[in-house]
Amino acid sequence: MSETDQPQGGNEVEKRPEDGESSGTDVEHHKEKKQKTGTTSHAIPISRRKSYDENPRMSSVYGEEKSNVPAWMKSRRSDKYEKYEKYDKYKAPVIASSAPENKPDERYNKYMGAHDTKTDDRIKRYGSSTTPTPEPGKKRKNSDDEDSIPAPYSNIPITKGADPEYQPFQSRIHDKSYKDINSIVRAHYNQRTQQSKYQGSRTKSPIYKMRNFNNVIKYILLGDWVKKSPIPEKPTVLLDLCCGKGGDLNKCEFVSIDQYIGVDISDQSIKEAFSRYSRNKVHFIPQNGLKGRERDTRRYNFEACFATGDCFGTSIPDILEPNFPGIIQGLFPVDCVSIQFALHYAFESEEKVNTLLNNVTKSLRPGGTFIGTIPSSDFMKDKIVKKEFLDEGGKKFGNELYSVTFHDDPPADGIFRPPFGHCYNYSLKDAIDDVPEYVVPFESFRAFCEEHGLTLRYKKNFIDIFNQHIPKYFSKLNKNLIEGMKRSDGKYGAEGAEKEAVGFYIGFVFEKVSA
Ligand SMILES: C[S@@+](CC[C@H](N)C(=O)[O-])C[C@H]1O[C@@H](n2cnc3c(N)ncnc32)[C@H](O)[C@@H]1O
C-alpha cells in the first residue's frame, strides 16, 4: 500500500484562547437489512437578520448582488423560524428519501453551475444577531459548560455508573437485529446526544484522554489540509458530512473558514450542533466577511447551516436544497468536504459508497480536499494475521477500552473481498455499545475515490500523525486540550490501552484533481 505524505502546512491557523471540544471518538456503528432507508431532510438555517421579506421569492445569486443576505437564504425567508419550530417538534424516525434515483446529471448541472467568474458575489455577509454577546474578555463556554445547560429531555433515564459524579454512556437500543443500519445509527446517536447532557463532566470519562487525542488529530488534519478559497473575497466553505453534535465547529474556527454546512442522520445531533453554534456565533460579521480583518477568537466567525439527512443514500442537493433554496448555486462547489469517524457506515454496500463519493466529488471544487478519519483495515489485518484475538473463535480483538467483533470469520490473510458488507460490532467504553459498522478496505476505497476523480494526498495512522505533526501544533492548540492528553510519564499523547484504541484509526486526505 503506497502512502503519500504531503502536508501543505501552509494554512494559517490561529491560537485560540479556549476550546470547547466534543466527541471525536464518538465512533458508532450498526447492523443491516437490505432495506434502504433514506431521510427526508430537516434543516436549520442560521440567520443574523432581524427582519425578512414578506413575499418569498426564488433566489438568484447573481441578481441580488446588492443584498446583504446570502442568496440561498432569501426565498422562504418568512418560514425560517417556522421550519425550526417544526424541526424542534420533530420526533418520528425519518422515512423515505425523495432523492430521484436516475437523474444525477440533471441534478448536478445546477449543483456545479455556480463556479464561474462571478463567484465572488455568491454570498454576502450580514449583521445583526439575536444571539447574546458574551461580556468582553469572557471566554466561550467549553463543552463541559455546555453539558451543564438544562436540557429538555427529562424523560431520558440516567445511566447508573460507578462514579457518582459521572454517568457512563449506556445504549438502550433493543432488538438491533431487526433494524436496518440507519435506524440503529440514528437511534444510537440520538440517545448519545440526549444522555450526554446528564453524564457530568467530560473530564471524568474513562476515554477523556482518547477524546482529546482524537480531537487533536482532527485539528491537525483540518489545519494542514483545509485549503482556502482560491478566489479572493469568495468564502471558504466546508461541508461536514455526518457532522454529529458539531464537535468540529471549533476546528472550523481554528482554520478560519467562512461558511460551514453540517449534515447528519441523527436529528438530535443536528439540533445540538445548531444550539452549540448559536450559542457561540459572533454577534456581527461585516458585509465583506472577515478576510483581512481580525476574527473574534472567542466565537465562531463563520456562517453555518445544518440539515438532517442520509449522506450515503441521498444526494446533497436533495438534502439541502428543499430547506435552503439556492444554497447549491450559492455556496457550491465547496473548498473542503470533511467526514470524521463515520465513513465506515457507508461500506455496507457499493451503492452507499457510490452515493457518498458522488456527494463528495460533486460538492468539491477542483483542488478542494476530502478529509476523513476511519478505522484502519491494515490494523485489522495485523490483528487477524497475528491471531491477536480475545476469543477462541478468532472473531474478536481489542482491550479493556475497545473491542471489534466480526460477524463472520475474518479472512485468514486479513484481506476483505469483496470490499463491501464486512460487518463487525464495535464497542468503546463510555461511547459505543456493540454498534455494527463495516470494514473499509483502504486500497479498494482509494480505487473508488480515484474513479471519482479524487487522488490520495495523505494517509497515516493516528499515532504517526500525532508524532509527526504535534510539534507544529503544540503551541497553537488550546491548553486544556493539550493538558488533557498528559501521560503518566509527564509527556503528551496516548499510552497503554488508549494508544492501541486510537491506533485503530487512520486519517486520510484526497484532492479533487479534475473539474
Ligand atoms: C462517530 S460520530 C462522528 C461525529 C462527528 N463527525 C465527529 O467527529 O465528532 C458518527 C456520526 O455519523 C452519523 N451518521 C452515520 N450514518 C450516517 C448517514 N448515513 N448519513 C449521515 N450521518 C450519518 C451519525 O449520526 C453520527 O453523528
Side-chain angles (χ1 to χ4, degrees):
M1 186 181 299
S2 79
E3 207 173 64
T4 55
D5 185 353
Q6 308 164 14
Q8 301 290 292
N11 288 344
E12 289 239 319
V13 288
E14 297 165 12
K15 184 175 179 180
R16 299 175 57 240
E18 69 79 35
D19 195 80
E21 288 306 327
S22 76
S23 68
T25 321
D26 304 356
V27 187
E28 320 292 301
H29 318 287
H30 50 74
K31 165 98 181 184
E32 121 98 356
K33 289 225 161 156
K34 270 275 168 184
Q35 178 187 348
K36 188 177 171 190
T37 309
T39 59
T40 321
S41 58
H42 295 261
I44 302 175
I46 308 300
S47 172
R48 298 189 177 90
R49 276 177 74 89
K50 277 179 177 161
S51 60
Y52 306 99
D53 284 355
E54 291 299 321
N55 303 315
R57 60 190 172 204
M58 273 313 291
S59 65
S60 159
V61 174
Y62 303 118
E64 294 175 323
E65 290 174 8
K66 293 214 159 53
S67 168
N68 59 1
V69 180
W72 55 269
M73 296 186 70
K74 294 204 162 192
S75 60
R76 298 193 195 168
R77 231 180 254 160
S78 55
D79 62 11
K80 193 169 300 172
Y81 291 115
E82 198 180 298
K83 267 187 275 171
Y84 183 62
E85 279 292 304
K86 251 192 268 168
Y87 179 84
D88 208 19
K89 288 176 189 142
Y90 174 74
K91 291 271 191 314
V94 194
I95 307 166
S97 159
S98 59
E101 292 288 316
N102 294 316
K103 293 186 182 169
D105 293 342
E106 199 179 293
R107 276 182 287 149
Y108 288 112
N109 280 345
K110 186 165 112 193
Y111 198 63
M112 298 299 290
H115 197 56
D116 69 11
T117 51
K118 285 196 172 182
T119 44
D120 294 11
D121 300 315
R122 290 184 309 168
I123 183 168
K124 304 289 185 185
R125 298 283 146 214
Y126 54 98
S128 182
S129 170
T130 50
T131 305
T133 310
E135 289 165 36
K138 232 183 181 178
K139 288 178 178 181
R140 208 170 65 213
K141 291 179 175 197
N142 64 24
S143 51
D144 284 336
D145 295 333
E146 286 169 3
D147 281 350
S148 68
I149 290 169
Y153 309 109
S154 49
N155 56 327
I156 301 298
I158 295 172
T159 309
K160 293 273 177 285
D163 183 346
E165 291 175 27
Y166 187 78
Q167 310 293 332
F169 172 75
Q170 189 181 309
S171 167
R172 291 171 189 281
I173 305 169
H174 303 297
D175 296 329
K176 285 182 195 168
S177 53
Y178 295 105
K179 295 192 171 83
D180 67 279
I181 181 146
N182 280 359
S183 306
I184 295 173
V185 166
R186 188 185 304 111
H188 174 83
Y189 283 101
N190 278 346
Q191 284 186 12
R192 262 191 65 66
T193 302
Q194 295 185 12
Q195 283 194 36
S196 68
K197 295 170 194 295
Y198 299 97
Q199 284 187 282
S201 170
R202 280 173 190 273
T203 57
K204 306 268 183 186
S205 167
I207 55 164
Y208 174 64
K209 287 185 184 179
M210 212 177 139
R211 284 183 203 278
N212 286 328
F213 186 94
N214 288 346
N215 275 316
V216 167
I217 296 297
K218 292 194 280 183
Y219 268 101
I220 291 171
L221 287 171
L222 295 174
D224 274 358
W225 291 96
V226 172
K227 295 183 182 175
K228 296 282 168 55
S229 164
I231 303 170
E233 300 306 316
K234 179 182 163 293
T236 297
V237 186
L238 183 140
L239 172 63
D240 193 359
L241 300 180
C242 310
C243 65
K245 294 180 280 177
D248 292 344
L249 287 168
N250 286 347
K251 296 163 195 81
C252 289
E253 181 57 38
F254 182 74
V255 299
S256 304
I257 64 162
D258 301 304
Q259 177 77 44
Y260 173 93
I261 304 164
V263 180
D264 199 281
I265 201 167
S266 155
D267 48 306
Q268 295 299 336
S269 296
I270 283 293
K271 191 175 171 186
E272 178 65 18
F274 167 71
S275 152
R276 183 173 292 183
Y277 172 77
S278 305
R279 285 197 294 268
N280 295 312
K281 67 184 176 180
V282 285
H283 185 62
F284 175 75
I285 295 180
Q287 287 281 325
N288 59 353
L290 290 166
K291 286 193 164 71
R293 301 178 64 130
E294 204 163 315
R295 293 168 76 109
D296 179 350
T297 52
R298 297 163 302 176
R299 292 183 159 269
Y300 300 135
N301 293 264
F302 51 87
E303 303 283 355
C305 63
F306 302 88
T308 309
D310 177 1
C311 300
F312 316 143
T314 311
S315 81
I316 290 298
D318 284 337
I319 293 172
L320 296 179
E321 195 70 28
N323 299 287
F324 307 109
I327 189 171
I328 299 302
Q329 197 179 18
L331 291 175
F332 285 65
V334 304
D335 301 283
C336 177
V337 176
S338 171
I339 183 164
Q340 306 301 331
F341 297 107
L343 187 141
H344 39 277
Y345 296 116
F347 262 75
E348 178 190 18
S349 68
E350 184 167 5
E351 195 188 354
K352 285 191 175 192
V353 174
N354 260 322
T355 303
L356 167 68
L357 291 180
N358 272 330
N359 277 336
V360 172
T361 195
K362 289 175 189 297
S363 295
L364 273 179
R365 67 167 169 81
T369 46
F370 172 40
I371 305 173
T373 44
I374 49 172
S376 163
S377 55
D378 283 344
F379 185 100
M380 293 186 199
K381 183 179 168 192
D382 242 39
K383 288 283 183 190
I384 294 165
V385 170
K386 291 178 184 162
K387 297 191 176 11
E388 290 177 355
F389 294 114
L390 296 174
D391 65 334
E392 294 286 311
K395 284 185 178 174
K396 181 173 184 176
F397 68 83
N399 61 29
E400 67 263 36
L401 282 182
Y402 84 103
S403 70
V404 167
T405 310
F406 295 107
H407 286 197
D408 301 320
D409 289 333
D413 60 0
I415 298 171
F416 290 85
R417 309 179 193 85
F420 308 103
H422 302 284
C423 198
Y424 58 89
N425 278 12
Y426 182 79
S427 289
L428 178 64
K429 208 169 181 178
D430 192 29
I432 298 148
D433 291 336
D434 253 359
V435 179
E437 56 187 55
Y438 294 89
V439 178
V440 182
F442 192 82
E443 278 309 299
S444 301
F445 172 54
R446 176 188 180 158
F448 293 128
C449 283
E450 273 170 11
E451 281 171 21
H452 284 81
L454 301 161
T455 295
L456 185 66
R457 292 285 178 236
Y458 182 83
K459 177 207 164 206
K460 268 197 195 309
N461 178 275
F462 272 22
I463 305 294
D464 293 336
I465 294 176
F466 184 85
N467 291 337
Q468 288 174 20
H469 300 286
I470 196 65
K472 191 174 105 189
Y473 280 85
F474 205 78
S475 61
K476 293 175 178 170
L477 295 175
N478 174 255
K479 215 169 152 239
N480 291 339
L481 186 62
I482 297 288
E483 285 307 309
M485 294 188 302
K486 201 162 189 171
R487 304 190 317 201
S488 51
D489 63 2
K491 294 179 180 170
Y492 296 90
E495 62 181 334
E498 285 173 348
K499 189 168 182 178
E500 182 178 328
V502 296
F504 180 55
Y505 291 96
I506 57 165
F508 65 78
V509 181
F510 287 85
E511 182 181 332
K512 178 162 170 171
V513 285
S514 57

